[in-house]
Amino acid sequence: MATELTLTTKDFKSDQEVRWCPGCGDYAILAAVQSFLPELGIPREDIVFVSGIGCSSRFPYYLNTYGMHSIHGRAPAIATGLASSRPELSVWVVTGDGDALSIGGNHLIHALRRNVNLKILLFNNRIYGLTKGQYSPTSEVGKITKSTPMGSLDAPFNPLSLAIGAEASFVARTIDSDRKHLQSVLRAAAEHEGSALVEIYQNCNIFNDGAFDALKDPSTRDRALIPLQHGEPIRFAGDQGVFRAEDGTLFVDAVTERNEDRVLVHDAHAADPTTAFALTRLADPDTLHHTPIGVLRDVRRPAYDRLMTEQLDLAVQRQGAGDLSRLLAGGDTWVVG
Amino acid sequence: MTSRVEETGSAVGEPSGSPGSKQVRRLDRVVIRFAGDSGDGMQLTGDRFTSETAGFGNDLSTLPNFPAEIRAPAGTLPGVSSFQLHFADHDILTPGDAPNVLVAMNPAALKANLGDVPRGAEIIVNTDEFTKRALAKVGYQRDPLDDGTLAGYRVHSVPLTTLTVEALKDSGLARKDAERAKNMFALGLLSWMYHRPTEGTEKFLRTKFAKKPELAEANVTAFRAGWNYGETTESFAVSYEVAPATAAFPAGRYRNISGNLALAYGLVTAGQRLGLPLFLGSYPITPASDILHELSKHKNFGVRTFQAEDEIAGIGAALGAAFGGALGVTTTSGPGIALKSETIGLAVSLELPLVVVDIQRGGPSTGLPTKTEQADLLQAMFGRNGEAPVPIVAPATPAGCFEAAVEAARIAVTYRTPVFLLSDGYLANGSEPWRIPEPEELTPIPVEFATEPNRPDGSFWPYLRDEETLARPWAVPGTPGLEHRIGGIEKQDGTGNISYDPANHDRMVRLRQAKVDGIAVPDLEVDDPSGDADLLVLGWGSTYGPIAAGVRRVRTAGGAVAQAHLTNLNPFPANLGDVLRRYRRVLVPEMNLGQLALLLRAKYLVDARSFTQVSGMPFKAEQLATALTEELKELTGGH
């Protein structure tokens, strides 16, 4: 079936006018997703995008698939019901740092631990955009915003650390402006069975412009970004590499002939999450230096939807297909008349 | 139901011939209350006696009453758990106002329940528990068994614990384990007193303890010892017969059923009849959890149960499943509804089918988790932001929960709307005989999903409405050509696209209201046998039993009262206004502070009077009979 499909980017564009601010990073992500979806080989009608509330959550309106723009923070819960009752669908969640990590934090962690077959795209711009510029759960400490004129006091979440702590089986990070990388991560997420959390650094040019410039500016990005490739030594900026210290923590150092064989080889499939977690802690939350991008973790674990379906099948095997009359007439009964 | 025996004061016994040494009296009805510590197994004892009674063919009604604490400190008043059962040779409507027999397993149980027991009733006490320490714990200065407290009662002092341990001395059980079978001894004794069939209980015990045969045998032994004790001891000179209620029931096969079980069966049945997979998203909460437990047993019907991380996720998942074409259901109690409100509003806006079950309990906040109340009516009616009308169905009896579930699902699916099903703690845990539906009553009522574009240009509008029902098409993912996006933002009529147009919003608000207002609901039937009543008593939900029993008493005494009962509260039956205006006086009993009365007064401008109680307990028939009699006196000007 799938090979006969000849869908193009255009097929995934809805007839609705896109209404983000000019220059918003969401445009780039939308374009990347629209041009990526055809390669899934999945018919449009079998794809569903579910979102919560926030700028990013308008996303489903612009895709010519099935879609639901729901309520703040609840998209993972709604998508869980859909995915687990319709395992054959390809269900995607689009959310933001406020939607996923603040009001919806509970649903996000539980979707991840259950390993529901959802692809969760978390647009992280480190600010509240739709409510016009308050700090978010990923904003750096001391952030001056409308609601924090003297600087925010909250320590930020590290979304990928949180996801790994929540037993996520797939964790990745990418950047709105790097379409090729973004699509490579989407591809890996789509191929993964179970929950996939993809953090996408996304620029809000109105309320938090330049938040990720360190990772985009040609003069700084090489030394700030650490691209991850499964099975490859983690090296960047020509001579830089990631090493493991004796206490297990990771650090960055210059690679020399003497230490070259000790550069950490990235293993996204490692069952133990320790190294993946350590990678999430490598970046400096303020300067974003040493930010790994790519797939940090991708391990096999049975998807919730499949397990649920298997239980239904097993129940039929054990008890036989449900017989309504027999169910209702079960237990002690007596006859009148 | 031709020879309806009125549900009147105390049970009347008449001696009947018995060749044996013991006298047998015939009764038309009996109310028994088992009371003991939370750990004494009173609910199980009551359940078993109920099963025996149901199997025997009596009509019955039960009222379990237990604390919210799983094990309150032993021997204390807060730790008392009780189970009341009313059974009769005719049709009955309530678990009974006052026990004819109280079984008190300890001083706390006696103290907590004595106030409900009229003089002349029988009290069976476990004397082993009436120690100085136990008496002091509940504030008895002297032993109530011999200080005159129980004067006027027919007291049976039975050392239940000692007798049980004695009966099990050869069982090999440790004394502590043997003592735990004392509830089965009590059950055996009561089973003898009321001529209950015993095979069912023995079978039940052997199944329940299948993995521990020594416990099964010990319980059966204790049960038989209790029976034999009644048969042989002089303390019990009389036993009682309550004949099967053959005239009370239409022909059919019956079983005893609680409200929560009936509701769960109703949901399974609805899914089967509608041809939809059932998806339950739920979070454990008293007294709704049993529905989750029950439905999770029926995966072989394709029933998916999802224990969510919270109430919000429970309904969210149910709504997601509904988007995918399932019969989405969420079950909870009042505080859970508060959390689900926003998602119910989303379902109103998305116009997707969803069944929201609220097993009401005492509120506000955590309130009384194990007690009953009807105080969520206005929450169901209005508890959302914006104009968000939701149909409401409310069963009147435990068995009625079955039909209510099917009806709620039918409305949800037909009109593509969330529907409230308002049960309560009394219906949920109470039980009564239920006529099992015949297969022909379970015929399919299939749902039609949208399969084709609905516009001449080949496009699909997700909000193009059915002219009759105003329902929008249910187009589920996986259907080619019908890809569409829906959301909680106001949408343009027809296309479903985002629209902030003022005139469109006004139109959509009115359309959603009109859709709910237009739901076909059966006319309200009025029971007014004399046809000349000036007084109408109108109730809703679980007050049906006590109201009807109260009405019977008033009519028996010669009063003319009309009775009507609402099971559809949104929309109301079309003839409700006419019915209300036909009577000089309308009395509305409710287990809240007058929520239905408020709605009736607002909508129909009638001077409906409230009669309310929010004690966590159902009304008693006598209370309502008195209230109705007072109204009648006022109407006739006499005092």
Side-chain angles (χ1 to χ4, degrees), chain B residues 11-17 23-30 89 238-243:
Chain B
V12 188
E14 61 177 62
S16 75
Q23 197 183 3
V24 177
R25 279 174 195 268
R26 180 161 296 154
L27 301 178
D28 63 349
R29 61 183 205 90
V30 177
D89 65 2
V238 185
S239 68
Y240 304 93
E241 277 180 355
V242 180

Side-chain angles (χ1 to χ4, degrees), chain A residues 16 45-46 58 60 64-69 81 84 86 106-107 114 304 309 311 320 322 327-328 330 333-334 336, chain B residues 54 251-255 298-301 304 306 309-310 312 317 324 477-479 483-488 497 500:
Chain A
Q16 295 300 292
E45 65 268 21
D46 289 341
R58 296 295 179 94
N64 195 8
T65 63
Y66 281 90
M68 187 197 290
H69 176 217
S84 56
R86 296 286 307 278
N106 197 31
H107 308 307
R114 291 190 185 103
Y304 187 78
T309 304
Q311 274 201 344
L327 172 72
L328 302 184
T333 67
W334 67 96
V336 173
Chain B
R253 179 171 287 277
Y254 285 78
R255 65 184 289 179
H298 304 302
K299 297 188 197 302
N300 62 327
F301 285 85
R304 284 177 160 84
F306 172 66
E309 58 270 25
D310 59 26
I312 299 170
T479 316
E483 294 84 1
H484 64 279
R485 277 67 54 192
I486 55 177
N497 294 329
Y500 301 120

